[in-house]
């Protein structure tokens, strides 16, 4: 009998072969289309949340200007998508700090916003961002090797 084409690791292969077969190859670093539009909308939404969240977390009047500048920097980074993961992480920390000092239902709202900001950290900024332009998709051209570059004949 011939070998059947059954997916799974062959005899003698390690756990990385099982992992490679079980993980789908649908993960894109900077998704576009509807997923990219959703990430853009998520970035814009959290840019709007940045200023009130930081003002809520630190309501001391002597640090109003630095907090306002930090909120503006985070909002600008989220809108442009430049360092968006770091900005979303800073925003998530600020939202969690605001939730720690909040009362009543505001705790749950701030905690939910912190979770959304963490989701943005994990997902990344999407294709319509400066990060995607600098670090995103690259074109890799595979050309036959010439003999002087170590190719076969």
């Amino acid at each position: 009998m011939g070998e059947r084409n059954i997916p799974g690791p062959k005899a003698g292969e390690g756990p990385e072969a099982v992992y490679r077969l079980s993980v789908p190859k649908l993960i894109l670093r900077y998704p576009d289309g509807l997923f990219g539009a959703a990430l853009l909308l998520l970035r814009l939404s959290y840019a709007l949340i940045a200023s009130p969240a930081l003002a809520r977390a630190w309501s001391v009047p002597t640090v109003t200007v630095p907090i306002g500048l930090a909120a503006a920097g985070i909002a600008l980074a989220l809108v442009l998508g430049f360092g968006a993961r770091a900005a979303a992480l800073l925003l998530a920390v600020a939202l969690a700090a605001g939730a720690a000092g909040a009362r009543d239902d505001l705790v749950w709202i701030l905690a939910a916003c912190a979770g959304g900001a963490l989701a943005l950290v994990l997902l990344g900024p999407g294709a319509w961002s400066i990060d995607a332009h600098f670090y995103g998709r690259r074109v890799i051209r595979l050309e036959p090797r010439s003999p002087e570059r170590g190719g076969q004949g």
Side-chain angles (χ1 to χ4, degrees), residues 24-125:
K25 298 190 183 208
L26 300 174
I27 300 171
L28 298 173
R29 192 163 180 189
Y30 296 101
D32 57 357
L34 288 177
F35 296 115
L39 288 171
L40 176 64
L41 181 63
L42 190 64
R43 284 192 349 246
L44 294 175
S45 299
Y46 278 96
L48 291 174
I49 290 173
S51 180
L54 288 174
R56 173 88 176 112
W58 290 279
S59 58
V60 180
T62 58
V63 294
T64 304
V65 172
I67 294 300
L69 290 174
I74 288 174
L76 185 64
L78 288 173
V79 167
L80 296 176
F82 183 69
R85 286 184 171 176
L89 183 62
L90 288 173
L91 181 60
V93 169
L95 287 165
R103 291 188 305 245
D104 301 329
D105 291 339
L106 189 59
V107 171
W108 300 110
I109 293 170
L110 290 173
C113 288
L118 285 176
L120 185 57
V121 170
L122 295 174
L123 290 172

Side-chain angles (χ1 to χ4, degrees), residues 117-141:
L118 285 176
L120 185 57
V121 170
L122 295 174
L123 290 172
W128 295 305
S129 65
I130 293 176
D131 286 345
H133 178 72
F134 285 140
Y135 310 111
R137 302 167 187 208
R138 304 272 190 240
V139 175
I140 300 173
R141 294 191 178 137

